[in-house]
Amino acid sequence: MIIFSDYDRTLAMQEDGFKIREEVADRVNAFVKKGGKFFVVTGREKKNTGGIRRKTIYELSGKLSPTGWILENGGIIVLDKEINLVEKGWIDHMNEISKELDKEKIEFSKGETIIFADNSYDKKALLEKIVKKGKIEWNTKDAMILSSKIDKGVGIDEVFRILGKDVSIGIGDAQNDLSLFRKVDIKVAVNNALPCIKEIADIVLKNSAGYGVIELLDLIEENRIKIEDKIIK
């Protein structure tokens, strides 16, 4: 079994500035130490390469030590080695888009394969005009600009290619988790998830970000999730 978990508002809380709580990291680490496979699947940057500096996933995740990472919304896999999945030429397009964002005075942060424009939903129409190549995915009100060939599902496919296909559970909260949900056997929503995520989830947890992940791991280890018909016993 492989668990694929979103990070912002799933593993970590917005009220904590998205820094993972120690008890949540400890619970995930214990699951992995016992042989469980747990991947963090996030839009967060591996490192900042331009624009306004946001905290990277490694700065926020503390001592969290998952099996592997799917970063920048599927653009980068970190397992035994790092794999960049974006096509040749996308970085040049990112630089062009960055110049247009600067021109329109839209604040952004740039990772290695992704551009963020936080709290920019009110500029949705303008962003759609600027992004002529690539696509925009939304995480609540935050825009993520990425290659049209990349999403969380692409990253999950690469993990399956490396490790082999396995029974999979995905947990998330927002629009950019839809591609994650399309690739897993069981779809799980934390309690704070958007309605569009809860509506398609097989399981809606009682707890919200952080503690919802702990709840899910408890259910798995207590054998209270039936893979066959996707219900809790």
Side-chain angles (χ1 to χ4, degrees), residues 20-154:
I20 195 167
R21 292 194 176 184
E22 190 169 320
E23 59 264 43
V24 178
D26 286 343
R27 184 66 181 87
V28 173
N29 292 348
F31 177 78
V32 173
K33 188 174 283 189
K34 286 188 281 187
K37 297 173 186 173
F38 191 103
F39 280 78
V40 176
V41 189
T42 178
R44 285 269 168 191
E45 304 98 312
K46 177 176 171 282
K47 70 177 182 180
N48 182 272
T49 65
I52 293 172
R53 193 182 185 287
R54 293 193 340 152
K55 287 190 175 179
T56 68
I57 185 63
Y58 296 138
E59 291 173 303
L60 292 169
S61 58
K63 62 180 182 178
L64 181 66
S65 185
T67 308
W69 306 83
I70 300 174
L71 305 178
E72 304 202 0
N73 223 53
I76 298 172
I77 310 291
V78 181
L79 194 48
D80 294 328
K81 61 180 180 178
E82 181 180 319
I83 303 169
N84 190 314
L85 297 177
V86 300
E87 71 274 18
K88 188 177 180 181
W90 171 243
I91 305 306
D92 290 335
H93 295 323
M94 282 178 62
N95 292 334
E96 292 168 10
I97 292 167
S98 298
K99 289 175 184 176
E100 289 299 314
L101 293 172
D102 270 333
K103 190 186 298 182
E104 296 293 343
K105 295 183 169 49
I106 297 175
E107 292 186 347
F108 67 92
S109 172
K110 188 164 68 167
E112 292 184 24
T113 66
I114 196 169
I115 297 172
F116 283 88
D118 287 345
N119 296 309
S120 59
Y121 196 77
D122 60 330
K123 300 179 181 68
K124 183 173 183 285
L126 179 55
L127 285 169
E128 287 172 350
K129 287 182 181 178
I130 290 172
V131 182
K132 299 181 180 71
K133 295 177 180 177
K135 65 180 178 181
I136 302 170
E137 286 198 6
W138 294 92
N139 185 355
T140 63
K141 296 180 179 179
D142 302 332
M144 294 178 292
I145 301 167
L146 59 155
S147 162
S148 58
K149 298 180 180 180
I150 293 295
D151 59 28
K152 289 184 175 184
V154 171

Side-chain angles (χ1 to χ4, degrees), residues 190-217:
V190 283
N191 199 263
N192 56 289
L194 296 178
C196 66
I197 295 297
K198 287 183 174 180
E199 285 168 8
I200 62 172
D202 299 305
I203 298 168
V204 177
L205 297 166
K206 295 175 183 176
N207 290 289
S208 294
Y211 298 102
V213 175
I214 291 176
E215 179 186 346
L216 173 62
L217 295 179

Side-chain angles (χ1 to χ4, degrees), residues 202-205 215 219 224-226 229-233:
D202 299 305
I203 298 168
V204 177
L205 297 166
E215 179 186 346
L219 290 170
R224 292 179 59 203
I225 293 181
K226 290 182 67 176
D229 53 6
K230 303 180 181 181
I231 62 170
I232 299 179
K233 291 181 180 178

